[in-house]
Amino acid sequence: MNLKRWIALFKPQVICLTAILLLLSAGFPAYAAEGGAAANDESPSGIRLSALEAVIDSYITTARKVNTAAVSVAVVNNGGTIFNKAYGLADVEHNVAADTDTVFEWGSVTKLLVWTSVMQLVEQGKLDLQTDIREYLPEGFFRKLKYDEPITLLNLMHHNAGWQDRYTDLFYMEKDDVPDLYEALRIYEPRQVYKPGAVVAYSNYGAALAGYIVELQSGMPFYTYVKEHIFESLGMNATSLHPTLQDNSIVAAARSRIQGYTAERELIKKNITHMGIYPAGGAIGTTADAAKFMAALVPPAGSISPLFQSDETLKQMLTPSLMYEGTDVPRIAHGFFVNEHAVRTLEHGGNTWAFSSNFVFDPVSGFGMIVMVNQQNEGQYCAGLVDRVFGTYTPAAYNGELPDSSEVEGTYIRARRVIHGFGKMIEYLNLAYIEPVNTRVSKWNGDPSRQFAPYAYTKINSSGIDYFIRDDQGKIIKLSNMYGDYLPLSGFAAQSIGISLIVLGLGTVMTLLAIIYESIGWIIRRFKRMRKPGSGLNKYYMWLNVAGLVYLLNNTLMFFRAMNTTAYTGVYIHFALNIVYILLAAGYIVLLLLKLRRSNSRRMTKVLYVLSGLSAVLFSALIIGWDLYF
């Protein structure tokens, strides 16, 4: 057999072997074969890169522009930025256009800087992902732990160390009020409410704590560490992590030229805030700089990321470290969330007081995208545009029998919430209601999902996967997606908000009825120059109803302040007033029991005495039931 025939015979094997060697040399993560890769000249959704700008331009339609402030988009491919463009207005009121020098707040995308820093120190042998973090922290650092089980850096990366959420002490309005990171963490420390590893409950505190551990092990402030080991290494000169931007005058000046808006493009007047636990969400910079960071996470084949000494560290960081419970499906890769588009991606979204962002890349093909918007809770670009470029998930056909979607029907609440303390009511206002549409389709608060495997659903109109986790008896105990777990509610707990609103409404009506009745009586007596006969309950009765109005105003103001960057100490006065109200209510009930039968007041007045006592009991029950006193 001649040489040409040998070559022809083994050509397919040679090509295949060469392709395998190239893939291995590129340093792809362990799950590369599952995710698939976009073609070098196409986005994951099949958009040719030469047409990408036109597609993104056309996405921003006239209808979308109505509610659009500024949008900045950067696209990375094969270790470099191939697209960077800004749209809309950075300052709507002054008609200031956004451009590629406009800075945006990263929000929680900042956490990727934390996990990268942690992995740099792991590479140097200064940190270990499996070690109890108390070995890295000052003795007695934690004051609110419930469980003795170790908390590791992996727990922090997986958001399953067990902490509840907080609604105060996250942002500061004045620069001078911002404490250093150690003090900010001490002020912000939430209660531990879940056993480590049991529940994924997204935690700003956990990420900031990891940043503080980097600070301790490196011997420099966390923002200095990131500046020296990430920003300067990558030439990110238009990005700052300092909570008051003191380390970068360029960024500070640029921040003054952009405003923040609601999702409906209404100006948020006070939109410059400072984050005390800033490693969790304090970065601010241009999308061009953010693209440099993304490009360093997906370096060209054969090259080593400038972020690490060895390509193995990058491979480890981008390899899944947490799977969905009971499956082999990746959920989190060392702090990077795994999502399913047309390809499997790693991503992280971000929201601040007035900005939104999304950071998405395919570690297999090296294609990535960054979207930043100066609007809070924005979705048409941070989610919709990303889905347009990355495509949505098409699961493989399932040939087995699927359970009826009615099995997952129910009410669910996020594990990430306040469980103890005055804020625990808030998440009950945002429950997840799952209802079946047919045997394979269910709706999550009206958003349809299709079952593609037993108890696994994919969104029909957007990206994202939900897994329903069952116990040994087949009972659903958890609903999981990439950002966190939801826990089922039933009985009184599922109806607690409705019941509370009824109680609040009844108490309010009875209080107002008593005040209106007494006010009319006072006017009549004043006009006729009459005196009301005393019964021993009159003045207490009126004071109690006035206190009821104060109660309503006090708690309304407390929640308004708590959701508007108020410090926890700033709501102490509201707790105190609620405690005083309970004492007044208890005292009135005692007087009512002692004096009502002996009172010579008219029947209608006695009825109002009783109704006022009942309203006081209802209001007090709300205070105690919803922890409105601490």
Side-chain angles (χ1 to χ4, degrees):
M1 186 178 293
N2 61 33
L3 181 60
K4 288 184 178 180
R5 293 187 64 185
W6 275 103
I7 293 175
L9 182 62
F10 290 103
K11 185 176 180 180
Q13 289 87 341
V14 171
I15 291 173
C16 182
L17 179 60
T18 302
I20 292 172
L21 291 174
L22 286 173
L23 285 174
L24 292 174
S25 66
F28 289 152
Y31 64 97
E34 297 181 27
N40 288 335
D41 62 347
E42 290 184 349
S43 78
S45 62
I47 303 169
R48 294 191 68 84
L49 298 187
S50 59
L52 187 60
E53 181 173 4
V55 171
I56 294 174
D57 288 348
S58 65
Y59 183 86
I60 306 179
T61 62
T62 301
R64 288 193 175 98
K65 287 180 180 178
V66 173
N67 290 324
T68 298
V71 184
S72 187
V73 182
V75 177
V76 168
N77 192 46
N78 196 31
T81 302
I82 63 170
F83 178 83
N84 182 27
K85 191 172 182 179
Y87 304 81
L89 300 174
D91 186 335
V92 175
E93 289 69 33
H94 297 92
N95 199 38
V96 176
D99 57 32
T100 54
D101 291 326
T102 301
V103 298
F104 292 80
E105 295 177 0
W106 288 27
S108 288
V109 175
T110 306
K111 293 178 176 69
L112 301 185
L113 299 173
V114 176
W115 312 133
T116 301
S117 301
V118 167
M119 293 306 295
Q120 287 177 336
L121 295 186
V122 167
E123 184 177 60
Q124 298 169 29
K126 295 180 179 179
L127 290 176
D128 180 79
L129 297 180
Q130 302 287 357
T131 296
D132 191 329
I133 60 174
R134 280 171 281 199
E135 294 190 20
Y136 300 124
L137 295 166
E139 186 175 351
F141 182 85
F142 294 118
R143 296 166 295 176
K144 300 179 181 179
L145 292 186
K146 180 179 180 180
Y147 300 97
D148 294 328
E149 282 79 358
I151 300 172
T152 67
L153 282 166
L154 273 178
N155 289 134
L156 303 187
M157 290 174 160
H158 297 159
H159 297 272
N160 62 5
W163 287 296
Q164 70 172 11
D165 208 9
R166 285 285 302 266
Y167 293 114
T168 57
D169 297 308
L170 186 59
F171 296 106
Y172 296 82
M173 300 304 295
E174 302 297 330
K175 292 181 179 180
D176 293 341
D177 293 338
V178 182
D180 63 21
L181 183 54
Y182 168 80
E183 187 60 28
L185 287 166
R186 298 280 284 180
I187 293 171
Y188 189 80
E189 183 185 359
R191 293 188 183 198
Q192 187 187 43
V193 292
Y194 306 111
K195 185 175 293 187
V199 172
V200 175
Y202 189 91
S203 176
N204 285 314
Y205 177 77
L209 185 61
Y212 180 59
I213 291 171
V214 170
E215 182 171 296
L216 292 175
Q217 294 303 303
S218 66
M220 62 181 75
F222 182 68
Y223 56 80
T224 302
Y225 178 88
V226 171
K227 183 175 182 179
E228 292 185 7
H229 294 84
I230 298 179
F231 295 165
E232 291 179 357
S233 297
L234 303 179
M236 297 171 62
N237 300 319
T239 305
S240 172
L241 186 54
H242 193 286
T244 61
L245 308 182
Q246 292 178 8
D247 62 339
N248 195 317
S249 59
I250 295 174
V251 175
R255 178 61 181 88
S256 67
R257 295 191 291 270
I258 184 169
Q259 295 294 334
Y261 300 86
T262 66
E264 293 74 33
R265 210 175 81 163
E266 297 175 356
L267 176 67
I268 300 172
K269 293 183 179 180
K270 294 182 179 180
N271 59 72
I272 296 180
T273 58
H274 311 284
M275 197 170 188
I277 55 170
Y278 67 90
I284 177 172
T286 63
T287 50
D289 266 14
K292 294 176 182 177
F293 175 55
M294 179 180 284
L297 298 176
V298 284
S303 63
I304 296 177
S305 170
L307 293 171
F308 300 104
Q309 300 171 14
S310 168
D311 191 50
E312 291 302 313
T313 308
L314 177 61
K315 287 170 61 178
Q316 179 186 2
M317 182 170 74
L318 301 185
T319 298
S321 50
L322 181 69
M323 306 296 177
Y324 283 98
E325 191 173 329
T327 77
D328 59 356
V329 180
R331 184 178 188 181
I332 299 175
H334 298 89
F336 291 71
F337 293 104
V338 181
N339 198 11
E340 300 290 352
H341 291 274
V343 295
R344 181 168 287 165
T345 62
L346 298 182
E347 64 182 68
H348 208 300
N351 286 284
T352 67
W353 191 241
F355 289 77
S356 303
S357 61
N358 205 357
F359 188 99
V360 187
F361 64 97
D362 170 16
V364 177
S365 68
F367 183 93
M369 183 177 184
I370 298 159
V371 180
M372 293 189 175
V373 187
N374 60 334
Q375 295 175 259
Q376 62 179 207
N377 299 318
E378 197 284 328
Q380 61 180 348
Y381 299 107
C382 289
L385 180 56
V386 168
D387 284 345
R388 176 69 183 88
V389 174
F390 276 86
T392 52
Y393 180 52
T394 303
Y398 183 78
N399 298 321
E401 184 177 350
L402 293 173
D404 194 284
S405 61
S406 61
E407 292 189 31
V408 303
E409 182 178 10
T411 302
Y412 298 80
I413 189 169
R414 280 199 308 179
R416 179 195 179 183
R417 69 185 195 274
V418 175
I419 293 179
H420 302 289
F422 77 101
K424 76 177 186 179
M425 179 189 293
I426 294 174
E427 201 55 40
Y428 281 83
L429 299 172
N430 190 34
L431 299 176
Y433 299 99
I434 309 295
E435 55 182 345
V437 175
N438 55 46
T439 57
R440 290 200 174 191
V441 177
S442 66
K443 283 186 177 180
W444 176 322
N445 292 348
D447 186 17
S449 298
R450 180 176 289 108
Q451 188 176 196
F452 65 90
Y455 304 100
Y457 288 74
T458 182
K459 305 292 185 186
I460 293 177
N461 299 324
S462 60
S463 62
I465 292 178
D466 301 314
Y467 283 88
F468 291 86
I469 312 302
R470 301 181 302 155
D471 62 16
D472 295 338
Q473 286 73 45
K475 181 181 178 182
I476 292 175
I477 57 173
K478 194 184 302 181
L479 162 58
S480 299
N481 58 37
M482 64 176 178
Y483 280 111
D485 292 336
Y486 286 72
L487 307 177
L489 288 178
S490 60
F492 178 83
Q495 304 300 323
S496 56
I497 284 296
I499 294 171
S500 296
L501 289 175
I502 293 173
V503 168
L504 180 64
L506 288 174
T508 301
V509 168
M510 288 186 284
T511 298
L512 293 177
L513 179 63
I515 289 177
I516 291 170
Y517 178 82
E518 284 301 316
S519 297
I520 293 173
W522 180 84
I523 292 172
I524 292 174
R525 289 193 300 273
R526 185 81 170 177
F527 181 75
K528 293 184 176 182
R529 300 181 182 276
M530 298 170 56
R531 292 186 63 186
K532 182 177 181 178
S535 67
L537 284 172
N538 290 336
K539 61 180 179 180
Y540 299 109
Y541 156 71
M542 284 307 299
W543 276 114
L544 182 69
N545 285 297
V546 170
L549 291 180
V550 173
Y551 162 89
L552 294 171
L553 178 62
N554 176 56
N555 287 286
T556 300
L557 184 60
M558 177 172 66
F559 280 105
F560 176 80
R561 295 184 67 196
M563 299 305 291
N564 284 274
T565 71
T566 298
Y568 184 68
T569 54
V571 293
Y572 282 175
I573 181 63
H574 302 290
F575 301 154
L577 288 174
N578 280 338
I579 292 172
V580 169
Y581 181 82
I582 291 175
L583 295 176
L584 286 174
Y588 178 79
I589 295 300
V590 172
L591 286 174
L592 191 64
L593 293 174
L594 292 175
K595 295 188 176 184
L596 182 62
R597 294 183 62 182
R598 292 178 292 177
S599 172
N600 58 0
S601 298
R602 291 184 300 172
R603 177 175 297 180
M604 181 59 182
T605 302
K606 288 184 177 181
V607 169
L608 290 176
Y609 287 162
V610 173
L611 290 179
S612 294
L614 180 58
S615 70
V617 170
L618 294 177
F619 286 160
S620 297
L622 291 178
I623 292 173
I624 296 171
W626 290 112
D627 295 349
L628 301 181
Y629 56 95
F630 74 93

